[in-house]
Every structure is written in structure tokens, then in C-alpha cells.
Amino acid sequence: MQFISMTINDQGDAEIETTGFAGKGCDAIHEAFASDLGKIVEKTHKPEYHKPVVAKQKAKARQ
Amino acid sequence: MSAFSKDQTIYKDRECLVAALGDMGYTDVEVHDVAQQLYDYHGHATHYIDAKGDKANIIVRRKNVGMSANDLGFKLEADGTYSAIISAFDRNKHNDAWKIGLKGKYSERVGLKTAKRLGLKPYKTQVNAKGQRQILWVKA
């Protein structure tokens, strides 16, 4: 499942988080929200929810 | 892959700004394509930011703001963004907390509009551990 969450932070700004996306699929979502809301001031990619990435990391660690 | 982005909210959607003002309790809001004059609590034209008279495109008239209040306005700038015109007198009411509240409501309105445009399916709305409002969607 691909989830998108929007959190309204203590400054009234929006924080968008996408999980379960493969590759760069989530970038389009972030760009769309940022374009409508204003601008991205911080962006972080997190591979932990993407199984192929985690598997690749584990395999690399085993080597 | 997952990603996190923090977006700085800029007022540029008229419909969402008017709706956000409604969420903040101002349901009687004037919307003008051509900016109109703002007035103080005496009914005199204000000149806070413009010597020729302050004008705004989105206006909450003083009778709807409160007792002895001035008009609250949002002016459409050349770059397509709206900037607030708040009198010093009304800054007790329209203080930083109020402005953050309005921005939060606006961000939520814009987010809902964006999600609808992207065809995202509403999943749930919740309050997180920090007491912040959180809306979740599923990509269909």
C-alpha cells in the first residue's frame, strides 16, 4: 500500500510523508503538494519502508 | 522508498484562503478582483502600508472583526501571493498564534484540494502524539 500523510506542524506549515513508494514515484506527490502549498524547505528520502532497498542493504551488509 | 518533505506555506489560493478565514470564524468575507480600500474603526481609509490608501482583494470588514476593530485584508501581490494587512490595533486579536492557526487551516484546505486533484483516496484523519492534526490518504 502507498500512503501519503500530511501533518500540520506547530507553525501551521504542512509536512508531507510518503511511504511504500518504489523508486522516484513519491517525488511527484511531494512536488505536487509543494507546488500548491508554497515551497519545499526540507526533504529527506528514507529507504526503510521500501522492501527491495532494505533487502539490498541487508545483502550488502552480509558481504 | 519513503520521503518526507516540509513545505513552507505561502498564501496563493484565493478559494482556500477564504475557506481558511471561514474556519477561523470569519464567514462574511469580501472577495474582489480589483483591490478595495480598507477602513479603520472610525471609518477612515487606512494608510499602514500605502500612502495612497491600503487596498486588499480579500477583506473582512471591521464590523465582522469585533468591537472597535479595523478591516482585515489580504492583498494580491504581483507574484500571485497574498499578503496580510493587519492593523497594529488588531494585533492583540490577530497575533502570531492566530496567524499560525490561519496558516494551518489554509495548509489543510490546500492539502485536501491537492489530494483530490491527485486522485488520492482519504484514509483517516487523526491527531498525532504531538497533538498535531494529521490527514492520511492511500494512492489508488
Side-chain angles (χ1 to χ4, degrees):
Chain A
M1 295 273 279
Q2 295 174 322
F3 287 98
I4 300 95
S5 79
M6 177 176 74
T7 304
I8 306 299
N9 70 17
D10 295 338
Q11 294 305 308
D13 292 317
E15 296 174 355
I16 308 297
E17 188 162 11
T18 50
T19 56
F21 284 78
K24 298 267 184 183
C26 58
D27 283 346
I29 300 281
H30 285 268
E31 291 299 330
F33 276 95
S35 169
D36 290 351
L37 284 161
K39 61 179 179 181
I40 293 177
V41 291
E42 183 186 332
K43 189 170 183 184
T44 314
H45 279 283
K46 297 189 288 187
E48 66 269 26
Y49 298 113
H50 186 47
K51 286 177 184 173
V53 173
V54 174
K56 198 174 175 182
Q57 286 174 340
K58 283 181 179 174
K60 198 174 179 181
R62 279 197 297 269
Q63 287 174 357
Chain B
M1 183 71 74
S2 68
F4 167 87
S5 67
K6 185 175 173 182
D7 300 324
Q8 186 181 20
T9 299
I10 298 168
Y11 297 128
K12 53 186 179 180
D13 185 306
R14 184 168 74 177
E15 183 187 44
C16 289
L17 180 53
V18 171
L21 284 165
D23 293 338
M24 296 299 284
Y26 293 136
T27 52
D28 194 350
V29 180
E30 293 179 14
V31 178
H32 303 280
D33 288 331
V34 178
Q36 301 295 309
Q37 178 65 49
L38 299 179
Y39 297 96
D40 68 10
Y41 63 100
H42 284 305
H44 300 144
T46 66
H47 301 84
Y48 296 110
I49 58 167
D50 189 339
K52 294 178 187 169
D54 301 320
K55 293 182 177 66
N57 301 78
I58 297 173
I59 303 170
V60 180
R61 291 298 179 190
R62 61 190 189 281
K63 66 178 180 181
N64 300 311
V65 174
M67 290 263 296
S68 302
N70 299 343
D71 290 347
L72 166 67
F74 291 84
K75 185 185 178 193
L76 179 60
E77 306 289 356
D79 64 358
T81 65
Y82 287 90
S83 56
I85 303 172
I86 299 173
S87 74
F89 184 81
D90 294 321
R91 284 193 183 138
N92 281 334
K93 182 173 186 180
H94 301 135
N95 55 18
D96 287 346
W98 184 88
K99 285 190 265 186
I100 287 170
L102 176 65
K103 190 161 66 161
K105 295 293 184 190
Y106 174 83
S107 297
E108 188 173 328
R109 290 280 185 173
V110 172
L112 290 170
K113 194 173 179 179
T114 303
K116 191 174 180 181
R117 178 167 59 82
L118 296 174
L120 303 179
K121 190 178 166 191
Y123 181 62
K124 64 178 174 180
T125 300
Q126 60 189 21
V127 176
N128 69 11
K130 294 177 184 172
Q132 299 166 330
R133 198 163 155 77
Q134 203 169 41
I135 302 168
L136 286 93
W137 297 275
V138 177
K139 191 168 188 299

